[in-house]
Amino acid sequence: MITAEFHRRGRDAILVPIHVRPEDFATLVPQLKRIANLDGLVFTIPYKQLACAHADALGPQARIVGAINALARRADGRWVGEIFDGIGCVEAFRRAGHSLRGRGVMLIGAGGAGSAIGVAVAREHPRRMRLFDIEAARSEALGAKIARVDPAIEVEWTEPDLAGIDILINASPVGMLEDPRLPIEVERIPPEIVVFDAIVKPEPTRLLELAARCGCPTVRGREMMHGQIGKVVDFFAGEEPAG
Amino acid sequence: MITAEFHRRGRDAILVPIHVRPEDFATLVPQLKRIANLDGLVFTIPYKQLACAHADALGPQARIVGAINALARRADGRWVGEIFDGIGCVEAFRRAGHSLRGRGVMLIGAGGAGSAIGVAVAREHPRRMRLFDIEAARSEALGAKIARVDPAIEVEWTEPDLAGIDILINASPVGMLEDPRLPIEVERIPPEIVVFDAIVKPEPTRLLELAARCGCPTVRGREMMHGQIGKVVDFFAGEEPAG
């Protein structure tokens, strides 16, 4: 998808998969950065946190999340890192016409993807963010990050609960692939709630199926991916992440 | 061309250009070899000699030439190097239906390409190989390599001269790009001589233009490139170079 976006913009560039073993990461990445015609790297699990060490500077979301998924060489030779997972989610909401400003958001999952989404959503200034993760320490850490972005947001920590919520976001792995569970134990979802699921497979997830049956607007994980592509390519083209 | 050949064979593989600076070569190549989904490397000028140090074993032509242009990971994790420049030239002659066995060959240029071509041609057992390079030491060194391949070949060192010659090979840079010179000072070439020029640009070279005007069969540098592609892809697919 990134290669296709490069070509759409007339850029002679390609993204190729590089399989790096954990024991090689620390020594291999600095050497990749020395390749004269390699101007960007994309990182995925489990390297998003470790990759920060290879950036000379971090974008505003990466600084708070503590992880990057893109690293770009600038004209002066410095490497800048940023995380676009959450930016992609926010972009998907924007493209679908759903504002986050002033809304009540229930966010399930505060791992890598959940943290990135939580920070990016916080930058849109919702009224309330209710956080849940099966590891309480993770949702507490995410709450602290959200407070750094916008101290005015009411942060709550509860079991998944839709009271006073306008937007439900699943960033947990519950419902992925063969997992038949819902990330929230409900029979139905009020039809005014916008439901987003970061999971790409299956498509739709059981959560999004339930939401659709209830008449809720939905945003799919695939739309987050699409939302992220253009932003990552902007970043590789030299655009600095909004501060 | 290599990527196209991979795809033609139904192989999910791609060749991408990697620009490595001279000061980085020794440290970068060992790290590239640690990439788990990178199973082959192609080297070009000025790295064909230096690259030998990164091979665990050398093919029969590389052992004599002292240079490689392809390095392949084998199933047991060992990296095998071979040079295909000369193999491509011989393959181009074979495809064009011109035998080298028992013939008289005039080879102009004994640098990297010339050495590889000289060794590959020698393996076809011509009767005579007449060598010329503006640096006499290079054509002398090539003569020694040819003798290692087949001591029965009559090796001569002279200025470019077509007496008793059936096949004229230019592997020197004379005539490349804007260079208007011919690699051999002749007004015409006897029409029974097969003329090959390793130079790809311009196409045809002035030498090949002259040969065509004289009615000589010609083999182009592009045909050497084509001849090399299939052999390199065979090598990456696990085929060992003929001993």
Side-chain angles (χ1 to χ4, degrees), chain B residues 16-38:
Chain B
V16 294
I18 299 182
H19 178 185
V20 177
R21 294 192 186 83
E23 63 269 30
D24 294 326
F25 189 81
T27 49
L28 218 160
V29 172
Q31 293 297 320
L32 291 178
K33 287 164 60 189
R34 297 196 66 82
I35 295 174
N37 62 333
L38 187 155

Side-chain angles (χ1 to χ4, degrees), chain A residues 147-172:
Chain A
R148 282 178 61 193
V149 174
D150 179 357
I153 297 170
E154 298 168 27
V155 179
E156 304 172 356
W157 292 268
T158 71
E159 292 287 313
D161 171 15
L162 297 178
I165 290 301
D166 306 298
I167 291 164
L168 169 62
I169 294 177
N170 178 45
S172 81

Side-chain angles (χ1 to χ4, degrees), chain A:
Chain A
M1 291 165 71
I2 288 192
T3 298
E5 183 63 18
F6 281 141
H7 292 182
R8 203 185 61 75
R9 299 184 187 195
R11 198 137 183 237
D12 180 17
I14 184 172
L15 184 75
V16 293
I18 298 181
H19 178 184
V20 178
R21 294 192 186 85
E23 62 270 30
D24 293 325
F25 189 80
T27 50
L28 218 160
V29 172
Q31 293 297 321
L32 292 178
K33 288 163 61 188
R34 298 197 65 82
I35 295 174
N37 62 333
L38 186 155
D39 293 325
L41 288 162
V42 171
F43 298 93
T44 186
I45 294 167
Y47 293 125
K48 294 183 187 187
Q49 289 81 28
L50 283 170
C52 290
H54 300 284
D56 300 309
L58 295 178
Q61 304 222 13
R63 277 198 295 274
I64 293 172
V65 176
I68 64 174
N69 72 329
L71 186 61
R73 189 206 304 269
R74 293 299 178 227
D76 62 3
R78 292 165 70 251
W79 289 83
V80 181
E82 182 55 301
I83 187 152
F84 290 88
D85 293 341
I87 293 170
C89 175
V90 166
E91 176 70 7
F93 274 87
R94 192 190 64 74
R95 290 183 183 181
H98 305 299
S99 173
L100 293 155
R101 178 175 292 270
R103 315 298 292 278
V105 176
M106 171 82 233
L107 171 59
I108 302 172
S115 294
I117 289 171
V119 167
V121 166
R123 290 164 60 95
E124 301 297 308
H125 309 293
R127 182 181 80 259
R128 167 188 299 146
M129 291 184 73
R130 188 175 293 160
L131 310 178
F132 173 74
D133 192 282
I134 48 167
E135 293 186 34
R138 297 208 297 195
S139 54
E140 281 164 24
L142 177 55
K145 289 170 182 172
I146 289 167
R148 282 178 61 193
V149 174
D150 179 357
I153 297 170
E154 298 168 27
V155 179
E156 304 172 356
W157 292 268
T158 71
E159 292 287 313
D161 171 15
L162 297 178
I165 290 301
D166 306 298
I167 291 164
L168 169 62
I169 294 177
N170 178 45
S172 81
V174 174
M176 195 179 283
L177 299 174
E178 308 303 315
D179 181 351
R181 296 174 297 161
L182 286 169
I184 179 168
E185 286 181 30
V186 289
E187 298 285 314
R188 54 175 298 285
I189 302 170
E192 64 275 15
I193 294 184
V194 180
V195 180
F196 168 76
D197 198 331
I199 292 172
V200 176
K201 288 181 183 178
E203 184 177 37
T205 58
R206 281 192 66 220
L207 176 63
L208 291 184
E209 278 178 344
L210 172 64
R213 277 202 307 277
C214 295
C216 305
T218 61
V219 181
R220 296 172 301 149
R222 179 175 296 272
E223 295 172 69
M224 178 171 96
M225 274 172 58
H226 287 143
Q228 185 170 163
I229 299 303
K231 298 292 186 179
V232 168
V233 174
D234 289 345
F235 179 63
F236 286 144
E239 192 171 297
E240 295 307 331

Side-chain angles (χ1 to χ4, degrees), chain B residues 21 25 50 98 105 124 195:
Chain B
R21 294 192 186 83
F25 189 81
L50 284 170
H98 305 300
V105 176
E124 300 298 307
V195 180

